[in-house]
Amino acid sequence: MKEIKRIAVFTSGGDAPGMNAAVRAIVRNAFNNDLHIYGVLRGYEGMIDGHFKRLETTDVSNIIHRGGTLLKTARSQRFMTVDGRKQAYENLVFNDIDALVAIGGNGTFTGAVKFSEEYPDIPVVGIPGTIDNDLFGTDFTIGFDTAVNTAVQAVDKIRDTADSHNRLFFVEVMGRNSGYIALHTAIAGGAGGVLIPEEDTNIDDLVKLLKRGAKRAKLFSIVIVAEGNHMGTVYDIARQVEEKLDVFDDIKVTVIGHLQRGGSPSAFDRVLASILGFGAVEALMEGKAGVMVGIKNNSIHFTPFKEAISKSKPLNKDLMRLAHILAQ
Ligand code: F6P
């Protein structure tokens, strides 16, 4: 088994609150085991450009509560090329790096799979860091809980003004092709409807649902729309509903957007990131490679990268049913 002495860590893809807490846990656990950690700036881009920085345990003081990623991030196109990965490998060898910890989502692990096939002498372990919670093999990804809390706070505020004006609001949340953020936001935000990619819905059903509510003197409503839903953009949906529904005084659209990606991580995300960061270093010391460190039923769980990115992570059917029943 290869002895691991120097580990490089990087964050890649969309940032997620809690990434810093994960880096902190990696550095602190490495320190505990006499290993050296190097931070790579801007993910795979920094690996290609040779931007490495030794991280001492004091470098990660006072970061557990900070959103974003101190290591910066990027969506690297160059790493998707054979030449880009070769350049990255040469820089890793030049810096005597024995192993990598990749913190990110689908795109990050897709790059890691390619790299591992070409350069198996540098083991890679991954940590799921994305607000989308769309990775198979972990109950939660770092940043999801914070993003949902941010979205729910926004919905609470919209509720005040929707109520005051008897208006219907369509609120778009992120999640790419996954409805996790939307579903949890809808339940926690007391929404009157939710549109997610995992379900086929149509305008007529939505209008029926909203009319039913209005009959019971529901004078305002909020519908949560996942950005990846199959009915179109949130603006298209609002326009189509407006043509068929006249029970509200007005219809408005709010796109929460990148607000969901920022802010101080929730306690849940800090704990999750700490567990996974710690676990990633342990995994490398045990000789693991090509796996994502996740959490399942409160225990650390390892999933091969290929499965994490190719298998779909279904939404909880009971939660979907709950959201619809409570929306009425
Ligand atoms: O993957 C995280 C995410 O925030 C998605 O929910 C969203 O679709 C995407 O990233 C937005 O990416 P960008 O910040 O590059 O526009």
Side-chain angles (χ1 to χ4, degrees):
M1 193 170 86
K2 180 180 177 181
E3 197 195 0
I4 308 283
K5 275 286 174 209
R6 290 154 70 101
I7 300 172
V9 56
F10 61 96
T11 52
S12 158
D15 60 347
M19 282 181 160
N20 289 325
V23 172
R24 172 180 177 270
I26 290 164
V27 172
R28 294 273 159 94
N29 195 17
F31 178 74
N32 194 43
N33 289 286
D34 286 331
L35 307 178
H36 293 170
I37 295 288
Y38 286 76
V40 188
L41 301 180
R42 300 192 68 237
Y44 291 124
E45 285 290 292
M47 211 179 281
I48 293 168
D49 293 333
H51 295 154
F52 295 80
K53 180 181 183 282
R54 172 84 191 263
L55 294 176
E56 306 288 351
T57 180
T58 48
D59 290 325
V60 292
S61 297
N62 204 24
I63 67 166
I64 194 165
H65 61 299
R66 291 173 66 178
T69 164
L70 264 76
L71 292 178
K72 309 268 186 174
T73 186
R75 300 190 194 278
S76 176
Q77 290 308 313
R78 285 191 294 165
F79 198 77
M80 292 300 143
T81 67
V82 172
D83 286 350
R85 291 192 293 276
K86 182 165 175 281
Q87 182 65 54
Y89 175 75
E90 283 166 6
N91 286 334
L92 292 169
V93 171
F94 180 77
N95 285 280
D96 285 330
I97 301 297
D98 302 311
L100 289 171
V101 179
I103 307 175
N106 223 286
T108 306
F109 298 157
T110 303
V113 167
K114 289 208 168 87
F115 181 83
S116 303
E117 280 165 6
E118 290 160 357
Y119 305 106
D121 54 315
I122 299 190
V124 190
V125 159
I127 295 179
T130 163
I131 63 166
D132 300 338
N133 201 28
D134 58 350
L135 289 165
F136 176 86
T138 188
D139 290 341
F140 296 104
T141 56
I142 296 169
F144 168 68
D145 183 66
T146 308
V148 169
N149 276 293
T150 301
V152 170
Q153 281 167 18
V155 169
D156 287 350
K157 292 191 165 105
I158 287 167
R159 173 179 289 280
D160 290 343
T161 177
D163 183 11
S164 305
H165 285 269
N166 291 349
R167 282 175 170 166
L168 166 64
F169 270 80
F170 286 95
V171 179
E172 187 197 271
V173 295
M174 281 187 167
R176 210 178 284 274
N177 299 319
S178 158
Y180 265 96
I181 296 179
L183 183 61
H184 284 241
T185 301
I187 293 172
V194 59
L195 305 178
I196 49 179
E198 291 81 356
E199 272 180 339
D200 274 335
T201 329
N202 58 57
I203 294 290
D204 291 335
D205 287 346
L206 179 60
V207 168
K208 232 185 268 165
L209 173 78
L210 294 166
K211 274 188 179 157
R212 261 210 320 263
K215 259 198 200 135
R216 290 196 310 277
K218 246 186 161 184
L219 298 177
F220 76 96
S221 194
I222 298 170
V223 176
I224 307 297
V225 181
E227 64 175 349
N229 86 87
H230 300 301
M231 286 165 61
T233 72
V234 68
Y235 296 100
D236 286 342
I237 294 168
R239 190 183 36 76
Q240 289 179 60
V241 169
E242 198 158 26
E243 283 165 11
K244 299 188 172 185
L245 189 72
D246 60 358
V247 294
F248 299 100
D249 280 12
D250 203 354
I251 297 182
K252 297 279 180 186
V253 168
T254 300
V255 176
I256 305 181
H258 286 79
L259 272 178
Q260 288 156 102
R261 286 248 293 269
S264 180
S266 65
F268 180 90
D269 274 329
R270 296 182 200 190
V271 173
L272 176 66
S274 300
I275 292 170
L276 299 184
F278 178 90
V281 174
E282 299 286 300
L284 285 172
M285 288 192 305
E286 287 164 13
K288 291 196 168 59
V291 291
M292 179 189 82
V293 190
I295 193 128
K296 277 195 154 185
N297 300 323
N298 274 330
S299 297
I300 284 192
H301 184 87
F302 298 100
T303 306
F305 281 140
K306 276 189 179 161
E307 277 184 39
I309 57 179
S310 64
K311 290 197 173 171
S312 69
K313 179 171 165 183
L315 282 182
N316 181 327
K317 288 233 157 47
D318 293 337
L319 277 191
M320 284 158 70
R321 198 167 156 258
L322 179 72
H324 293 310
I325 290 172
L326 301 187
Q328 296 181 78

